[in-house]
Amino acid sequence: MYVIGTAGHVDHGKSTLVEALTGIDPDRLREEQEREMTIDLGFAWVSLPSGREISIVDVPGHEDFIRNMLAGAGGIDGALLVVAADESVMPQTREHLAVLDLLSVPRGVVALTKIDAVQEADWADLVEEEVRELLVGTSLEGSPIVRVSAVTGQGIPDLAAALDRLLDDAPLPADLDRPRLPVDRVFTIAGFGTIVTGTLAGGHIAVGDNLAVMPGGMSARVRGLQIHKAPVDRAEPGTRLAVNLAGIDRDRIERGQVLCRPGWLDDTRLIDARLRALPNQRWPIKHNMPVEFFVGTSRTPARVRVLHGDAIAPAEQGWVQLRLRDPVALQRGDRFVVRMLSPSVTLGGGVVVDARPRRRHRRDDPPTLARLASVANGDPAAVMLHEASRDAIVSSAEAVRSSGLAPSEASEALVRLVTDGRVRVIGGQIPELMAGKDLAISAADRWEDLLGRMRRVLGRFYAANPLRAGMSLEELRTRCRVPAGFWDAAVKAAAEQGVVEVSGSVVALAGHRVGLGADEQRAVDEALAAMRVDPFGPPSVADLEARLGSALLEHLVANGTLVKLSPGVVYTQEAYEDAERRLVAHLEAHGQVTLGEVRDLLGTSRKYAQALIEYLDRMRVTKRVGDARVLRR
């Protein structure tokens, strides 16, 4: 199914024409009917001569209601531009056409209405010629022009046939399994609850589906679906749709929000874009200019940051970052329009190149401008390389999702990048990536940056802690700013490349060894000699710290020279091994041992015996049974 949107100046007969074509009055509001002027969006539908059914979105033409026109112009497959033959081209005709061109509406038909009010044939010819000249250089250039009268019925069959031919070569909307419905109306019906309408794109939805309402992330369930007032169980993309939602109140959803599958569409307040300023406009789009931003059915105040130069002159294009006051749910490739706040005129529009840039860009920065140009060209490999470069490590599934590309196209591009060496798979292999498994990936330069960051962080750690062999994995992760879910894969890959070595929960630079100075080595030798005088009753930890210092003592424990039995008791490694050997031999011979027997066996005090036996319990060599210990094995 296709959607056609009307456009044109106020009182040029759009709604009357729609009713003559479809038999449906699109002016649903009492105020519209009383004033004979469309204020909000109206909807109708009709079967064309071929049997093809279309939906028609009727939009207001009055300047005061241009915002509603923008809400209706998004998501249409073609335009029905209405020009009254007795008045010809008027200001809103030009503005509506400019909006259609900015949104790249790819095809259209011009209805020259009120032809019955024109007495002179030459006048109608002049109006038609003026319209043809108006279309030159726009997305509707060359569109057929049909002379019609909604009053007499003249030309109505010809208009239906022209719309039919218009859609002959229009591709059916693709089902990417990413349904998205920008909400253009919200209301309630007694006994049913919340109803929203919009044009479905990107995928299908069905009764029973759980959907997210974005921005905000609220959840709702599809209770029912209607297409042209007929209930359906499933709706395909490209359909004008009414959705009955369960689990959400009417006052929690409004025009501008989007229904989508949970987890794939993000809120954003910052976007990168290519912006085109309209020609014949008095106002350039200046750096830091406040504007009104329209995308889909949403609008919000925004500020334009021009990334190259100080302004975008009329008829020119430029790279911009738009900072939005309110969050908006959109994706790469979406088209938008910006309007001046006062006076209220359309300034230009463009396409979203990055829906969630990592940061505010520096202005006049050649690498930034080059990257935006590469992504804007739409090459899948350039887009996926950009997604893989967002952070040091990203999820392959997240990169595919946020690319805005068809999943198969994005995955194929990602595999090519890995094969070419421009992207690295951190947590898996290419066959797993081809099979659609979610893996940790990194752009090659971002991966090298991360390895360099690991080296620098560990280097600074050693400078501050010369006697420490390494730092904790978690501390290194935090300092390298890598998400926890990707860290194990990152460390494993870094170790495979010979950058780091991992021992338990400690990570060190590969090949790093702690070296003691002559004074430190002398102090260690003297301390060990003192401990060997009475190996099972050595100096206390406090005495050793006074002799060696806490850092050197921790180093000796970390490298296995000393064994810390308790906070206050340390043995040399050889003393501990000797004590364990004696105790195990006693247990093998007698089956159990008491604390007093341990004390007597080693010729030490109760304090040292208790520290030893409790340490052996923790090491799962022994276990306590009553007042005695037995071997665990």
Side-chain angles (χ1 to χ4, degrees):
M1 189 176 295
Y2 299 96
V3 180
I4 300 295
T6 68
H9 192 75
V10 64
D11 203 31
H12 274 203
K14 293 187 297 298
S15 300
T16 305
L17 178 63
V18 169
E19 185 173 6
L21 185 65
T22 67
I24 299 170
D25 183 0
D27 286 342
R28 58 187 174 82
L29 299 178
R30 179 181 300 175
E31 184 183 357
E32 291 175 334
Q33 295 170 354
E34 291 174 351
R35 295 173 58 180
E36 297 183 350
M37 177 191 295
T38 301
I39 297 172
D40 205 344
L41 301 176
F43 307 99
W45 55 92
V46 67
S47 291
L48 298 175
S50 66
R52 179 187 287 125
E53 192 171 36
I54 63 170
S55 301
I56 298 180
V57 181
D58 183 37
V59 302
H62 194 277
E63 182 178 6
D64 291 346
F65 308 128
I66 189 70
R67 295 177 181 85
N68 287 325
M69 183 269 167
L70 286 162
I76 62 175
D77 301 294
L80 177 57
L81 181 62
V82 176
V83 181
D86 60 341
E87 290 190 354
S88 191
V89 173
M90 298 294 282
Q92 272 71 60
T93 311
R94 297 180 185 278
E95 185 165 23
H96 281 208
L97 178 61
V99 169
L100 296 173
D101 186 47
L102 290 171
L103 297 177
S104 289
V105 174
R107 59 189 65 82
V109 172
V110 179
L112 209 60
T113 59
K114 302 185 181 183
I115 197 68
D116 56 304
V118 177
Q119 304 300 321
E120 301 174 2
D122 289 348
W123 175 257
D125 293 340
L126 288 172
V127 172
E128 188 169 321
E129 183 59 31
E130 185 177 7
V131 171
R132 292 190 192 282
E133 291 177 0
L134 179 67
L135 299 181
V136 172
T138 73
S139 61
L140 299 190
E141 182 176 356
S143 296
I145 301 175
V146 182
R147 302 182 183 188
V148 299
S149 169
V151 175
T152 67
Q154 177 186 343
I156 296 298
D158 296 334
L159 179 60
L163 290 171
D164 222 353
R165 290 191 297 272
L166 180 74
L167 299 172
D168 281 343
D169 61 350
L172 285 171
D175 190 342
L176 305 178
D177 200 28
R178 295 173 177 172
R180 181 167 57 144
L181 188 138
V183 175
D184 52 37
R185 289 174 60 200
V186 187
F187 53 94
T188 58
I189 296 179
F192 291 90
T194 304
I195 311 289
V196 303
T197 66
T199 301
L200 182 63
H204 65 275
I205 60 174
V207 173
D209 282 353
N210 291 314
L211 300 177
V213 181
M214 304 295 291
M218 296 172 291
S219 61
R221 181 175 56 83
V222 178
R223 177 186 287 166
L225 298 170
Q226 278 195 0
I227 299 175
H228 300 167
K229 294 190 176 181
V232 296
D233 293 327
R234 172 179 164 129
E236 302 299 328
T239 309
R240 278 296 309 173
L241 192 61
V243 186
N244 182 198
L245 295 175
I248 188 167
D249 294 334
R250 161 69 183 84
D251 58 2
R252 298 185 65 200
I253 186 169
E254 60 186 10
R255 175 185 287 181
Q257 291 184 295
V258 178
L259 298 183
C260 62
R261 291 269 170 81
W264 84 265
L265 195 60
D266 295 323
D267 297 351
T268 185
R269 280 192 171 93
L270 186 68
I271 64 169
D272 294 340
R274 185 70 170 168
L275 178 60
R276 174 163 62 97
L278 288 178
N280 306 316
Q281 189 62 269
R282 289 186 294 165
W283 298 276
I285 301 175
K286 297 180 180 179
H287 178 62
N288 273 336
M289 185 177 192
V291 296
E292 239 184 336
F293 174 84
F294 296 82
V295 66
T297 59
S298 71
R299 66 185 178 99
T300 180
R303 192 169 291 276
V304 181
R305 296 188 68 246
V306 179
L307 296 180
H308 182 55
D310 294 323
I312 301 174
E316 298 295 326
Q317 298 188 49
W319 297 110
V320 299
Q321 250 190 340
L322 286 151
R323 183 168 293 280
L324 314 179
R325 187 194 70 181
D326 304 315
V328 173
L330 48 71
Q331 65 174 350
R332 190 190 69 84
D334 284 352
R335 293 196 166 269
F336 64 89
V337 170
V338 294
R339 304 191 83 231
M340 185 180 286
L341 296 176
S342 180
S344 183
V345 295
T346 301
L347 293 170
V351 61
V352 176
V353 176
D354 190 345
R356 51 188 188 97
R358 292 192 305 271
R359 63 180 68 89
R360 178 176 172 176
H361 299 314
R362 292 170 51 196
R363 299 179 62 220
D364 296 307
D365 180 49
T368 297
L369 300 175
R371 178 182 57 79
L372 289 174
S374 175
V375 176
N377 286 336
D379 174 56
V383 173
M384 292 311 300
L385 182 60
H386 173 67
E387 294 299 330
S389 302
R390 287 192 179 278
D391 292 299
I393 303 178
V394 300
S395 154
S396 61
E398 172 66 16
V400 170
R401 178 187 72 80
S402 61
S403 70
L405 300 170
S408 59
E409 185 180 35
S411 297
E412 289 171 4
L414 194 54
V415 169
R416 289 200 304 273
L417 289 169
V418 173
T419 303
D420 294 345
R422 288 183 285 172
V423 170
R424 179 185 176 94
V425 179
I426 306 301
Q429 303 295 327
I430 288 183
E432 295 174 289
L433 194 64
M434 294 175 66
K437 185 176 179 181
D438 185 18
L439 302 176
I441 60 172
S442 176
D445 57 344
R446 297 281 283 165
W447 174 247
E448 290 303 320
D449 288 346
L450 177 59
L451 294 181
R453 197 182 312 154
M454 288 183 182
R455 294 186 183 98
R456 290 192 299 274
V457 170
L458 285 169
R460 288 193 294 268
F461 175 81
Y462 291 137
N465 304 276
L467 298 177
R468 298 274 296 277
M471 67 191 304
S472 76
L473 281 165
E474 179 60 21
E475 184 179 0
L476 181 62
R477 182 192 73 79
T478 301
R479 295 191 183 186
C480 289
R481 301 185 297 279
V482 175
F486 299 138
W487 185 232
D488 289 346
V491 171
K492 181 180 179 182
E496 289 171 352
Q497 286 189 239
V499 175
V500 299
E501 295 174 349
V502 180
S503 177
S505 62
V506 175
V507 59
L509 277 176
H512 176 79
R513 299 293 179 267
V514 176
L516 300 182
D519 292 342
E520 292 170 326
Q521 188 62 57
R522 187 180 306 107
V524 169
D525 293 341
E526 292 173 354
L528 293 177
M531 295 180 74
R532 291 182 182 116
V533 172
D534 184 1
F536 303 129
S540 67
V541 169
D543 291 340
L544 291 172
E545 282 186 344
R547 181 191 293 263
L548 299 172
S550 58
L552 187 51
L553 180 60
E554 288 178 11
H555 167 68
L556 295 175
V557 171
N559 71 9
T561 302
L562 301 179
V563 178
K564 197 168 188 178
L565 303 182
S566 71
V569 177
V570 176
Y571 274 11
T572 63
Q573 180 68 31
E574 57 265 29
Y576 166 72
E577 290 175 354
D578 186 20
E580 180 183 359
R581 186 167 48 252
R582 294 188 193 192
L583 192 58
V584 169
H586 178 90
L587 287 167
E588 288 174 343
H590 302 284
Q592 65 177 30
V593 66
T594 64
L595 181 60
E597 289 172 332
V598 173
R599 179 196 60 202
D600 296 341
L601 183 66
L602 300 178
T604 187
S605 69
R606 182 182 181 87
K607 165 188 163 183
Y608 290 103
Q610 185 166 354
L612 175 64
I613 201 68
E614 289 177 353
Y615 182 80
L616 290 171
D617 289 345
R618 293 196 300 276
M619 294 298 102
R620 303 183 69 78
V621 176
T622 60
K623 66 177 179 179
R624 183 170 181 169
V625 177
D627 291 332
R629 259 69 176 187
V630 299
L631 282 174
R632 278 188 177 272
R633 62 177 181 269

